[in-house]
Amino acid sequence: MAEPPLPDFSQSVKLKYVKLGYQYLVNNFLIFLLLPIMAALSIEILRCSPQDLINLFNSMQFTSIHIICSFFLIIYTLTFFLMSRPRPVYLVDYALFKPPRSFRVSFGGFMEHARIVLATEPKSVHFQMKILERSGLGQETCVPPAMHYLPPRPNMQLAREEAELVIFSAMDSLFLKTGLKPKDVDILVLNCSLFSPTPSLTAMVINKYKMRSNIKSFNLSGMGCSAGLISVDLAKDLLQRYPNSNAVVISTEILTPNSYLGKERAMLLPNCLFRMGGAAVLLSNRRADRRRAKYRLAHVVRTHKGADDRAYGCVSQEEDPEGHIGIKLNIDLMTIAGEALKSNITTIGPLVLPASEQILFALSLIGRKFFNSKSKPYIPDFKQAFEHFCIHAGGRAVIDELQKSLRLSNEHVEASRMTLHRFGNTSSSSLWYELSYIESKGRMKKGDRVWQIGFGSGFKCNSAVWKCNRTIKTPVDGPWADCIHNYPVYIPEVVKLQ
């Protein structure tokens, strides 16, 4: 007679409550330890008469010199502690570029252009159609005017016009939302990976808004889709150096000069995924901005795998045999991204995870090292550390892989999937469109923690952790204002194109 199968203990309700009890006990261990000590001391003090307390004080034989020295020691210690603490960095507000509807590129329009531009390469056209069908993009994504021409016109003049449209639109909106005047900007950081003209894009912004001559400006290029968080990290370090200052961070990618016109499959992929976008973010270390700021920056963790040749070359700008320049994505990109993520979460885990998860992770690490190296490593439950996740909307495969690796629910990756659907891969600015989606849904509450994760060429994985400073009201403007009621939408695995 066959034995009855054992119940699935991993799904047991009782086991769930055991785990919750374990988390509560470990995460509040110090409180549980201090409570009986404080209770015992309180009982002893209550049992003593006032005269007993006076006698105890006199028995210590404190002189006026002892009291004065102790007082100055306390003052010195408190002053040193306050002066050595890093200055808090606040995210006051941010603004996003919303492309006009005339820039919209539907699936049908995209494929029509592909068939005309690559009329003699039906296999390349078919490849792009297969990518687009599985991309997770919607019908409302936008490309710049230069890419609507037949053939596309990737020239310098149109590239500058795109840069001016995207960057100035975001900056105008930021100045309007925050009340900041251009001459009050202390630090300006701009990242754009593939378009780096002379004069620089930061010089273009300074010239447009007639900013101060002593502004500290930085123009970052070649750093890929994770450059937005690198810019935030740079601004954070500068704000530690300069008190009572603010910093404007601009993140964008200019597509006009980077439209690939060849037939190499590995270089056609970016054409299918990348779309227009840009963000302008105001950071500050001023106490006066604390109340009105939306978020406080808690951590920035950067991981660079460039020492590994495979990681270094998995995303690169190259020239194909026919002389066409484009971005080449290697087939092992997702494997390398997974390794970079693993290194990044190993660093950020101890900073954000509760004690209960850190203990389980440490026990798993010890067990694999000394007992069974083939056992599966314990994946920490990052849902214990964050309420919201902003995963770089680089493509459906990126979001799927991170959802699986971090064991996230569909709701946790909803902002990333819907941003990819509505705006496409907007490179370094995609994380801000995702944050705006969460706010537009009315989900951001005071005290909530947000984890932004970006990937970029080199190969890099960067993380930023923000803590919500106040409950965010549902915005009445912004890129999601006219369509948020339609989301979330169902995104099929394959959208069949003719």
Side-chain angles (χ1 to χ4, degrees):
M1 184 175 179
E3 295 183 1
L6 291 173
D8 185 0
F9 291 108
S10 63
Q11 302 297 323
S12 170
V13 175
K14 292 182 179 179
L15 185 63
K16 173 186 174 182
Y17 287 117
V18 169
K19 186 176 181 181
L20 287 173
Y22 160 76
Q23 292 170 352
Y24 187 78
L25 177 64
V26 174
N27 295 340
N28 298 280
F29 177 73
L30 287 178
I31 296 175
F32 289 132
L33 184 66
L34 289 173
L35 278 177
I37 296 175
M38 295 297 294
L41 287 173
S42 300
I43 292 170
E44 285 297 319
I45 292 173
L46 291 173
R47 289 172 60 183
C48 295
S49 65
Q51 187 60 45
D52 292 335
L53 296 176
I54 293 171
N55 293 337
L56 178 64
F57 179 79
N58 291 333
S59 67
M60 294 181 182
Q61 298 181 348
F62 284 129
T63 65
S64 58
I65 296 177
H66 289 138
I67 294 173
I68 292 171
C69 288
S70 300
F71 178 76
F72 276 108
L73 179 62
I74 293 170
I75 296 296
Y76 175 81
T77 304
L78 287 173
T79 303
F80 179 79
F81 173 74
L82 293 173
M83 293 295 290
S84 61
R85 280 198 315 167
R87 294 187 180 91
V89 174
Y90 300 105
L91 192 162
V92 179
D93 213 333
Y94 61 97
L96 301 169
F97 170 70
K98 183 179 181 180
R101 283 189 60 83
S102 57
F103 291 1
R104 185 176 70 91
V105 54
S106 64
F107 291 167
F110 182 92
M111 290 312 305
E112 182 182 357
H113 276 60
R115 291 186 183 100
I116 294 172
V117 173
L118 297 172
T120 60
E121 300 293 336
K123 290 185 178 180
S124 296
V125 173
H126 183 72
F127 172 76
Q128 289 187 87
M129 184 177 72
K130 291 297 183 184
I131 293 296
L132 204 61
E133 288 178 338
R134 294 163 174 79
S135 64
L137 272 68
Q139 301 274 10
E140 299 290 324
T141 61
C142 296
V143 296
M147 298 176 71
H148 286 274
Y149 287 107
L150 284 172
R153 298 181 185 176
N155 59 56
M156 177 64 75
Q157 178 60 32
L158 291 177
R160 285 188 178 277
E161 290 178 6
E162 181 193 349
E164 291 173 358
L165 174 64
V166 174
I167 294 170
F168 295 164
S169 297
M171 287 292 286
D172 289 343
S173 180
L174 183 69
F175 289 140
L176 183 65
K177 292 173 75 172
T178 61
L180 181 71
K181 297 179 180 178
K183 288 189 178 295
D184 293 334
V185 177
D186 301 306
I187 300 165
L188 178 65
V189 183
L190 188 150
N191 65 270
C192 179
S193 190
L194 294 172
F195 182 56
S196 185
T198 300
S200 68
L201 294 177
T202 48
M204 181 186 78
V205 174
I206 292 169
N207 176 260
K208 163 70 175 179
Y209 295 101
K210 310 305 177 189
M211 293 177 171
R212 301 197 316 256
S213 60
N214 64 341
I215 188 173
K216 298 164 185 65
S217 63
F218 301 85
N219 198 104
L220 307 182
S221 63
M223 291 191 164
C225 299
S226 68
L229 297 183
I230 296 174
S231 297
V232 169
D233 191 38
L234 174 59
K236 179 204 72 174
D237 291 343
L238 291 167
L239 289 172
Q240 296 302 317
R241 173 66 178 82
Y242 299 101
N244 199 36
S245 300
N246 61 51
V248 172
V249 173
I250 303 170
S251 296
T252 189
E253 193 59 77
I254 305 305
L255 303 182
T256 294
N258 302 298
S259 176
Y260 176 63
L261 303 178
K263 61 182 181 181
E264 294 293 321
R265 293 189 177 187
M267 302 169 79
L268 284 169
L269 191 59
N271 284 2
C272 302
L273 299 177
F274 281 88
R275 297 293 186 264
M276 290 184 79
V281 184
L282 175 59
L283 304 176
S284 174
N285 61 14
R286 295 172 177 166
R287 289 179 179 268
D289 289 327
R290 178 181 177 181
R291 290 201 171 198
R292 68 170 183 149
K294 285 186 171 182
Y295 304 93
R296 179 178 62 82
L297 181 61
H299 306 286
V300 178
V301 174
R302 293 166 57 181
T303 302
H304 204 308
K305 306 293 285 186
D308 178 19
D309 291 340
R310 286 171 56 251
Y312 174 75
C314 71
V315 180
S316 59
Q317 187 176 28
E318 298 181 7
E319 194 173 65
D320 70 11
E322 297 179 355
H324 299 294
I325 297 176
I327 304 300
K328 183 179 181 181
L329 305 180
N330 285 359
I331 195 169
D332 55 354
L333 173 60
M334 292 309 303
T335 302
I336 292 166
E339 293 171 358
L341 175 67
K342 182 180 178 181
S343 299
N344 192 267
I345 64 176
T346 301
T347 305
I348 201 172
L351 300 175
V352 299
L353 287 171
S356 58
E357 289 298 312
Q358 293 195 45
I359 290 173
L360 291 175
F361 180 73
L363 292 175
S364 170
L365 196 66
I366 294 170
R368 293 181 72 241
K369 187 172 182 65
F370 295 104
F371 300 103
N372 184 6
S373 60
K374 294 182 179 180
S375 62
K376 289 184 178 180
Y378 177 74
I379 304 298
D381 185 4
F382 280 94
K383 298 187 292 295
Q384 298 288 329
F386 305 107
E387 284 74 32
H388 308 286
F389 297 81
C390 295
I391 299 167
H392 168 53
R396 170 177 253 157
V398 175
I399 301 171
D400 288 346
E401 185 63 28
L402 264 73
Q403 180 180 9
K404 179 182 176 183
S405 299
L406 299 176
R407 297 183 299 179
L408 303 178
S409 68
N410 289 332
E411 185 177 348
H412 287 124
V413 297
E414 181 183 310
S416 301
R417 292 196 189 280
M418 298 307 112
T419 296
L420 181 65
H421 181 270
R422 174 60 184 85
F423 296 101
N425 180 354
T426 60
S427 189
S428 57
S429 64
S430 68
L431 298 175
W432 303 108
Y433 286 91
E434 294 166 23
L435 189 62
S436 179
Y437 178 89
I438 297 170
E439 292 180 1
S440 298
K441 281 293 183 182
R443 297 172 182 171
M444 192 63 70
K445 309 299 180 184
K446 182 178 180 180
D448 283 0
R449 297 153 298 178
V450 186
W451 187 13
Q452 292 181 319
I453 311 171
F455 297 92
S457 57
F459 189 85
K460 298 178 285 292
C461 175
N462 300 321
S463 292
V465 178
W466 303 89
K467 187 170 184 179
C468 187
N469 220 28
R470 55 183 171 83
T471 298
I472 308 297
K473 295 180 180 179
T474 304
V476 295
D477 56 2
W480 294 99
D482 62 347
C483 63
I484 191 64
H485 59 281
N486 295 325
Y487 286 90
V489 298
Y490 170 69
I491 303 175
E493 289 294 323
V494 179
V495 178
K496 296 301 293 183
L497 302 178
Q498 299 297 327

